[in-house]
Amino acid sequence: MSPTADHNLHVSGTARFIDDIPVRRDTLYAAVLTSQKAHARITALDTAAAGRQPGIVRIFTAGDIPGDKTIGNIFQDEPLLASDEVVYRGEPLTLIVAETMRAARMARKFINVQYDELPAVFDARQAYDQGRLIAPPRTFVLGDVDKAWPQCDIIVQDRVESGHQEHLYLETQGAYAYMNDHLLKVISSTQSPGAVQKMIARILNIPMHLIEVEAPRLGGAFGGKEEQATNWACLCALAAYNLKRPVKLVLNRREDMNYTGKRHAYTSDFKIGLNRDGKILAYEVFMFQNAGAFADLSTSILERSLFHAANSYDIPNVKATAVSCRTHLPPNTAFRGFGGPQAMFVIEAALDKACHAMAMDKLSIQGKNLLQSDSVFPYGMGAKSDGARRCWQSAMDIYQTDSRQKALTTFNRKNRRFKKGLALMPICFGISFTSKFLNQAGALVHVYNDGSVRISTGAVEMGQGVNDKLRAVAARVFSIDEERILLDTTSTARVANASPTAASTGSDLNGMALKTACEIILSALKQFVARCHDIDDPEQIILNNETVQVNGQSIDLSWDKLIQEAYLERVDLSAHAFYATPHLFFDRQTEKGQPFAYHVYGTGVVEVTVDALTGTYTIDRMGIVHDLGKSLHTQADLGQVEGGVAQGLGWMTMEEIIYSDEGKNCTDTLSTYKIPDIQFMPDDLQVEFIEASGRDSGLFHSKAVGEPPFMYGIGVYFALLNAIRAFRPNAETYYSAPLTPEKALFMLTGQNNKQNVSEKKLTLEKKKY
């Protein structure tokens, strides 16, 4: 494996991130003063005393921005620096630039800000009632739920709550900017250098070609650096462009946790109807999304929730409505799964309640309602695959769920204090950006005359292994050793107009562009060999393990020799290629189309043990069957599955963000916000990759793996509920994630907590939408 491979750099401690880059001489340091009010008018903002402090170079306010004062890639509604009004705690007010970071941060306390406080709204339902919407509600419809309800033998309804989640990437938000003659160079910890470049151009009122944005590598992102990295890069660029000196802005952990948005909290109402055989006949859901103060990516995330409202189930009548509600919290943003997990949690809760009411085994109802090859999604696209059923059956067989159920029943009968539970979580996740124009990528390939290869794409390496996959693509096309190949950092100067590395599309889009670029060079090399060796058909020529073969026979021409001779004969050894995912379309008027290139399927099996005395629990084992297609890099894909599962388990169990009545994040340190550690993870975690639906897949018949595994973690919630019911069969169940040990104890003891709303005036009964 190449010594330049990212994982080698990581484990050796030599990988450099923004805060590791040696700074240029005369570098300045920036800090941001943010609002301490959730909603208020700014009546005074006096920076004079701060400006007189030692080491302070300049303090920027909104009036110092020469171009657009607001940022945003969907709706340009977010002020880069607030001027008249603040709408969340942590909203930037001023940018302080100093000779040292300490001086910049210390100067904040000398800035005098006076507010006229205004009423604040933190709850999505309250915001909806007040008409505080990012955009109007949207509804996906399949069949007719109103006609289906009379045919149902049982109908249940309830409310579901899922909370925020902190990204907690290892590397916090940051940027480093400097002038290089007429060019502004910005090194940004971003998933989307192209979007950062565009926003900087707008706020500085200069053309994009005078700005280069580079993302060397990210120390994690999980969606949190797709849109929100723009804020800090723009502020850094504003200072560097005006002061003509290098400027560095890196948030510390507490700043990052207070200033940035999280996974969207959702509150949802559902209604589901089944016949006595357990077939789902109708499903209706209304989802309220807590967007925070500004749009960010909320409307796209909301759309993804609608796409995945029915998860892996074939339901003939569906009505799914969702609305993005504007509150006075930091603008919430992309997070692994991008709205899919919130919707899938609701449908799983609906099935859980229905099965409990019918006294039927949930596994049997899940299994008989899974998608089939002739199923149609509520958005009009056909499944065209039995991947859901293949993964389900494989999981049942591999992990012997029938015998495990019997073993758990025996254990629960013999043990009074400790109870075990088991649950299965099927997933179906569409792969593509749901905004068609984003499904494009470019790649630039150079083959040097010594046979080494250098590649530039729009993909950003952030620990997910995309560089390893891209290196494997080039090595496969050229049939050369991967050690010959170097992946460049991601830069707008080398690949323009690149889409974000997000939506699990990084390998697919950039890999297809790279494959095409390599094939252009390969074709030129084959034609060169054909001319030199009097071969009529260049397609008879192949490269195999760094040697040239004709009709399966090697000729005296190695890769090194081929490249040197081609160079001497003036063969073009560089190529740029472009790829756009074909056959995508979606009509937002009818809410029908084919928004995805393909779907990924899978099933997770999870077992837990609950201590009925304390409410604490352990996750004993987890088995996963994942529809991967033909993996480009098995170890990288395995790491993605295991990491996604860990985040999903955390979201369902322990990762709880608590805001005060004043909108303050009360869980803004690692002592108050907990994530899964190695002791929390199941001792027995098995992952089985299968090709469940190979007809429609991606690069070299591989499938995306970044986001789908997160949803397997949802199964732990229902395994815990089953264990709680083993102790207290009539326990009052409320669907409020995360299911912390405190909440579990409430259920075990029959008590309510504040999430268990006593008066459930369900929106489905009173809203006409």
Side-chain angles (χ1 to χ4, degrees):
M1 182 57 66
S2 170
T4 61
D6 281 84
H7 57 263
N8 286 335
L9 299 177
H10 292 324
V11 298
S12 64
T14 55
R16 283 184 175 179
F17 301 91
I18 285 180
D19 212 20
D20 303 316
I21 297 172
V23 295
R24 294 178 164 227
R25 191 180 59 169
D26 294 334
T27 291
L28 300 172
Y29 298 85
V32 180
L33 175 72
T34 64
S35 168
Q36 297 304 301
K37 303 293 182 182
H39 189 204
R41 278 188 289 270
I42 301 171
T43 58
L45 178 59
D46 186 357
T47 64
R52 292 192 293 269
Q53 298 306 304
I56 300 303
V57 176
R58 183 168 173 182
I59 299 175
F60 291 86
T61 63
D64 297 312
I65 302 172
D68 290 350
K69 302 291 193 287
T70 56
I71 58 175
N73 280 292
I74 296 179
F75 300 116
Q76 199 171 332
D77 65 341
E78 182 174 356
L80 183 61
L81 292 170
S83 56
D84 302 319
E85 182 183 12
V86 292
V87 291
Y88 68 92
R89 288 181 70 108
E91 184 174 3
L93 295 171
T94 67
L95 179 71
I96 305 154
V97 184
E99 297 290 348
T100 66
M101 178 58 72
R102 177 178 173 82
R105 287 181 170 153
M106 290 293 292
R108 290 185 291 201
K109 65 183 181 180
F110 293 98
I111 296 178
N112 179 29
V113 186
Q114 295 182 19
Y115 302 98
D116 182 4
E117 203 158 355
L118 299 170
V121 176
F122 306 112
D123 178 75
R125 290 177 186 264
Q126 183 183 355
Y128 179 83
D129 289 339
Q130 295 180 10
R132 296 178 50 82
L133 307 181
I134 298 292
R138 291 178 63 183
T139 301
F140 284 13
V141 174
L142 179 67
D144 189 330
V145 293
D146 292 328
K147 291 182 179 179
W149 297 127
Q151 303 171 27
C152 301
D153 295 312
I154 184 167
I155 298 173
V156 297
Q157 54 189 15
D158 210 331
R159 177 174 294 183
V160 180
E161 313 275 350
S162 59
H164 299 282
Q165 186 178 22
E166 177 66 54
H167 297 86
L168 214 68
Y169 24 67
L170 290 175
E171 177 196 28
T172 58
Q173 300 275 4
Y176 184 44
Y178 55 87
M179 296 300 299
N180 187 3
D181 294 330
H182 59 276
L183 181 73
L184 174 62
K185 175 72 175 282
V186 181
I187 304 173
S188 173
S189 181
T190 177
Q191 294 174 242
S192 186
V196 168
Q197 180 192 32
K198 180 173 69 174
M199 282 301 127
I200 292 173
R202 287 181 180 177
I203 65 115
L204 295 181
N205 196 26
I206 61 176
M208 291 171 66
H209 76 279
L210 295 181
I211 304 162
E212 179 189 355
V213 177
E214 180 183 9
R217 66 171 55 82
L218 311 188
F222 313 119
K225 297 176 181 177
E226 181 178 352
E227 180 81 356
Q228 301 220 338
T230 304
N231 305 49
W232 319 109
C234 284
L235 289 171
C236 200
L238 173 68
Y241 185 75
N242 278 276
L243 299 174
K244 302 298 185 276
R245 287 178 63 180
V247 176
K248 183 175 180 179
L249 170 61
V250 176
L251 303 186
N252 64 34
R253 178 63 64 188
R254 196 162 196 174
E255 290 171 336
D256 194 293
M257 294 179 76
N258 275 289
Y259 301 169
T260 62
K262 322 300 179 190
R263 180 184 297 281
H264 292 76
Y266 275 50
T267 174
S268 307
D269 298 324
F270 70 77
K271 182 178 180 181
I272 191 167
L274 301 83
N275 65 20
R276 61 177 52 88
D277 296 324
K279 175 62 180 172
I280 307 171
L281 301 183
Y283 176 61
E284 189 172 2
V285 62
F286 197 114
M287 295 176 279
F288 300 86
Q289 179 199 65
N290 192 326
F294 298 112
D296 198 275
L297 298 174
S298 293
T299 53
S300 292
I301 292 163
L302 183 91
E303 183 179 65
R304 177 68 79 157
S305 297
L306 290 168
F307 281 125
H308 296 301
N311 191 14
S312 292
Y313 302 110
D314 182 8
I315 307 174
N317 302 286
V318 176
K319 184 177 182 182
T321 301
V323 62
S324 186
C325 306
R326 192 186 298 272
T327 63
H328 293 104
L329 293 176
N332 291 311
T333 193
F335 201 135
R336 201 175 202 159
F338 205 76
Q342 292 95 320
M344 292 184 190
F345 181 48
V346 180
I347 181 68
E348 292 301 323
L351 278 178
D352 178 83
K353 189 173 185 72
C355 296
H356 194 58
M358 298 172 72
M360 292 183 67
D361 178 33
K362 185 181 178 184
L363 301 192
S364 66
I365 291 183
Q366 286 177 298
K368 69 175 56 177
N369 285 285
L370 290 170
L371 292 162
Q372 304 179 88
S373 58
D374 60 351
S375 298
V376 176
F377 294 101
Y379 46 90
M381 184 174 177
K384 302 177 184 178
S385 168
D386 62 353
R389 291 177 178 265
R390 288 189 60 192
C391 288
W392 178 272
Q393 192 57 52
S394 295
M396 295 280 284
D397 294 341
I398 293 170
Y399 303 116
Q400 302 177 336
T401 55
D402 289 340
S403 62
R404 292 304 309 161
Q405 281 272 53
K406 293 176 183 177
L408 266 60
T409 300
T410 301
F411 177 92
N412 289 338
R413 189 170 59 247
K414 294 180 177 180
N415 289 270
R416 183 178 179 185
R417 175 175 173 178
F418 296 97
K419 299 295 181 180
K420 290 184 177 290
L422 178 145
L424 269 67
M425 179 64 197
I427 68 162
C428 172
F429 196 81
I431 302 300
S432 284
F433 287 102
T434 55
S435 293
K436 179 181 175 180
F437 76 93
L438 290 173
N439 293 284
Q440 58 176 294
L444 178 64
V445 178
H446 298 306
V447 178
Y448 294 95
N449 60 29
D450 66 349
S452 61
V453 179
R454 189 161 182 168
I455 293 167
S456 293
T457 75
V460 176
E461 175 60 54
M462 50 189 127
Q464 83 279 40
V466 68
N467 281 355
D468 288 333
K469 290 189 173 185
L470 295 176
R471 187 179 288 106
V473 169
R476 181 168 176 171
V477 174
F478 291 138
S479 193
I480 60 176
D481 194 293
E482 290 186 14
E483 291 195 7
R484 291 184 178 270
I485 302 168
L486 175 68
L487 266 294
D488 255 322
T489 59
T490 309
S491 169
T492 58
R494 290 185 285 271
V495 177
N497 308 316
S499 295
T501 303
S504 303
T505 63
S507 297
D508 278 359
L509 291 175
N510 294 279
M512 290 295 282
L514 172 60
K515 176 174 175 285
T516 303
C518 292
E519 287 172 343
I520 291 171
I521 297 173
L522 180 62
S523 177
L525 291 172
K526 286 183 177 182
Q527 292 177 38
F528 167 69
V529 173
R531 291 196 304 271
C532 294
H533 293 265
D534 296 322
I535 300 169
D536 293 333
D537 184 7
E539 292 308 310
Q540 296 175 343
I541 303 166
I542 65 168
L543 271 68
N544 184 19
N545 197 25
E546 301 202 359
T547 63
V548 177
Q549 294 181 347
V550 180
N551 291 326
Q553 299 296 316
S554 295
I555 61 176
D556 184 23
L557 196 59
S558 67
W559 169 261
D560 287 336
K561 187 176 180 181
L562 168 63
I563 298 303
Q564 182 63 29
E565 291 183 3
Y567 163 71
L568 293 173
E569 290 299 318
R570 301 185 296 180
V571 175
D572 188 358
L573 298 176
S574 295
H576 171 268
F578 176 81
Y579 176 76
T581 310
H583 313 306
L584 299 179
F585 64 94
F586 190 73
D587 185 340
R588 288 185 171 87
Q589 298 301 313
T590 63
E591 305 289 23
K592 302 292 181 185
Q594 182 170 308
F596 302 119
Y598 59 87
H599 292 84
V600 172
Y601 300 94
T603 297
V605 183
V606 59
E607 293 182 31
V608 301
T609 300
V610 172
D611 183 341
L613 181 63
T614 64
T616 58
Y617 46 76
T618 58
I619 304 172
D620 303 323
R621 57 174 55 87
M622 195 160 184
I624 292 165
V625 172
H626 187 78
D627 170 27
L628 188 63
K630 297 183 183 294
S631 176
L632 292 172
H633 197 291
T634 304
Q635 289 303 307
D637 289 335
L638 180 61
Q640 284 292 283
V641 172
E642 293 174 344
V645 166
Q647 280 188 319
L649 293 175
W651 182 53
M652 284 284 104
T653 59
M654 63 169 61
E655 296 190 46
E656 186 172 33
I657 293 178
I658 299 172
Y659 288 102
S660 72
D661 292 339
E662 292 76 38
K664 183 184 186 303
N665 184 354
C666 301
T667 46
D668 62 350
T669 70
L670 296 183
S671 63
T672 53
Y673 184 81
K674 300 298 184 182
I675 63 171
D677 58 17
I678 195 66
Q679 283 77 28
F680 178 81
M681 293 297 290
D683 291 335
D684 184 0
L685 174 57
Q686 301 178 41
V687 179
E688 188 77 22
F689 292 136
I690 68 170
E691 295 180 51
S693 52
R695 181 167 59 176
D696 295 320
S697 56
L699 178 65
F700 290 127
H701 303 291
S702 65
K703 283 197 166 187
V705 73
E707 292 173 288
F710 181 95
M711 275 68 81
Y712 294 128
I714 295 173
V716 73
Y717 191 99
F718 300 98
L720 290 169
L721 284 187
N722 290 335
I724 290 168
R725 288 169 179 152
F727 176 80
R728 190 182 184 89
N730 296 320
E732 183 179 1
T733 300
Y734 45 90
Y735 302 104
S736 173
L739 182 48
T740 60
E742 292 85 353
K743 291 181 185 177
L745 189 59
F746 279 125
M747 290 189 193
L748 289 162
T749 58
Q751 301 178 52
N752 289 329
N753 74 345
K754 67 179 181 180
Q755 275 79 23
N756 187 16
V757 182
S758 57
E759 295 182 9
K760 296 182 178 178
K761 297 181 180 178
L762 298 181
T763 304
L764 289 171
E765 295 300 311
K766 66 179 182 179
K767 302 290 183 188
K768 300 297 182 182
Y769 50 84

